[in-house]
Amino acid sequence: MLFFTQCFGAVLDLIHLRFQHYKAKRVFSAAGQLVCVVNPTHSLKYAPTRCAAAQTSVEQSVLPSCHHHEAVHDPQLVPCTCPLFSCPWEGHLEVVVSHLRQTHRINILQGAEIVFLATDMHLPAPTDWIIMHSCLGHQFLLVLRKQEKYEGHPQFFATMMLIGTPTQADNFTYRLELNRNQRRLKWEATPRSVLECVDSVISDGDCLVLNTSLAQLFSDNGSLAIGIAITTSKVHNAEDEM
């Protein structure tokens, strides 16, 4: 009976994911768009000093890293860019993607246009929905966060970060689109570099911001579908890689 119960639960989860996938394709019917169903994860950290300290040490290259030791921080190393955890990992930009996939199990989709379907929007803050998006020869990190910027008033913040340098980020434009019930909402901006830290981007409000009532207006049974498109904003040298 225990085996049957576990198998039956797994089947129900699979049916639920397929249903969510179908709903997203119904909303975003454009050909070629990939749909990624993203389950929420409660953030296991909120230590703003970690992000600020890590960013300062990257910029100044003379301060110690966010770990409490006396070693001089290597300016070529960046801290873990996953906003969910207080991860002590540090590494070079070119291995950040491998770390996120192997250690934090973050999914990655490929394609110029995809659909990000965040489930269970009703969960209490803080909660994050995260995927990686591979496009135009680069990798981007999409973060949707439910957070109380003001006590008792949760908001949703969505932003796209390039896993690369700020100079590389200036070469791209990303668009986030919500489309439901004959309503459409778009946010278009230049992505920020992961070197700038997701927490600071959200605190600055330089992203798509939705209050609870607006998020409910575009959600469907607790799920929010966000169309994502990335384009090059200007010609850049192919040699300018991470």
Side-chain angles (χ1 to χ4, degrees):
M1 288 296 295
L2 179 61
F3 175 78
F4 175 78
T5 302
Q6 292 177 342
C7 290
F8 185 70
V11 171
L12 287 179
D13 290 342
L14 180 60
I15 293 175
H16 176 71
L17 289 177
R18 293 292 297 175
F19 179 66
Q20 297 287 358
H21 184 278
Y22 169 76
K23 288 196 302 181
K25 289 193 72 67
R26 184 186 61 190
V27 175
F28 291 86
S29 58
Q33 284 187 312
L34 299 175
V35 178
C36 182
V37 179
V38 184
N39 294 320
T41 303
H42 284 286
S43 297
L44 300 180
K45 66 98 181 176
Y46 267 101
T49 55
R50 171 188 177 273
C51 187
Q55 184 176 359
T56 303
S57 26
V58 169
E59 293 174 350
Q60 298 181 356
S61 73
V62 295
L63 297 179
S65 67
C66 51
H67 314 298
H68 299 289
H69 56 71
E70 299 299 327
V72 176
H73 183 79
D74 186 344
Q76 295 183 340
L77 296 180
V78 296
C80 175
T81 57
C82 183
L84 293 174
F85 308 99
S86 292
C87 178
W89 180 88
E90 288 183 323
H92 294 273
L93 273 174
E94 56 266 22
V95 295
V96 167
V97 173
S98 297
H99 170 73
L100 292 176
R101 297 197 67 181
Q102 296 173 8
T103 303
H104 301 298
R105 306 297 182 187
I106 295 180
N107 294 326
I108 184 168
L109 284 183
Q110 296 185 0
E113 296 186 12
I114 65 174
V115 176
F116 178 95
L117 183 64
T119 66
D120 301 321
M121 303 293 293
H122 61 278
L123 291 177
T127 304
D128 287 318
W129 295 259
I130 301 175
I131 62 166
M132 282 190 293
H133 184 187
S134 179
C135 179
L136 301 174
H138 290 264
Q139 284 73 41
F140 301 82
L141 191 70
L142 178 69
V143 178
L144 173 65
R145 174 175 298 170
K146 184 177 184 180
Q147 179 176 320
E148 289 188 357
K149 197 166 185 180
Y150 304 101
E151 185 176 358
H153 299 280
Q155 293 177 301
F156 293 88
F157 304 85
T159 187
M160 182 75 77
M161 311 286 290
L162 173 71
I163 302 179
T165 65
T167 301
Q168 291 173 320
D170 288 339
N171 295 321
F172 299 96
T173 299
Y174 75 95
R175 185 180 73 247
L176 305 179
E177 179 178 334
L178 291 83
N179 188 350
R180 185 172 182 268
N181 292 336
Q182 298 181 343
R183 298 177 178 87
R184 179 173 297 180
L185 178 64
K186 290 184 180 181
W187 166 269
E188 186 171 293
T190 299
R192 303 279 286 271
S193 167
V194 292
L195 298 177
E196 301 178 61
C197 188
V198 174
D199 292 341
S200 61
V201 173
I202 291 178
S203 63
D204 293 342
D206 186 17
C207 56
L208 174 63
V209 182
L210 304 173
N211 58 30
T212 303
S213 59
L214 191 58
Q216 290 176 348
L217 188 63
F218 284 97
S219 65
D220 184 9
N221 291 327
S223 297
L224 187 67
I226 304 176
I228 307 168
I230 300 177
T231 57
T232 53
S233 55
K234 60 184 179 181
V235 178
H236 59 281
N237 295 328
E239 298 178 354
D240 184 21
E241 298 295 336
M242 292 186 295

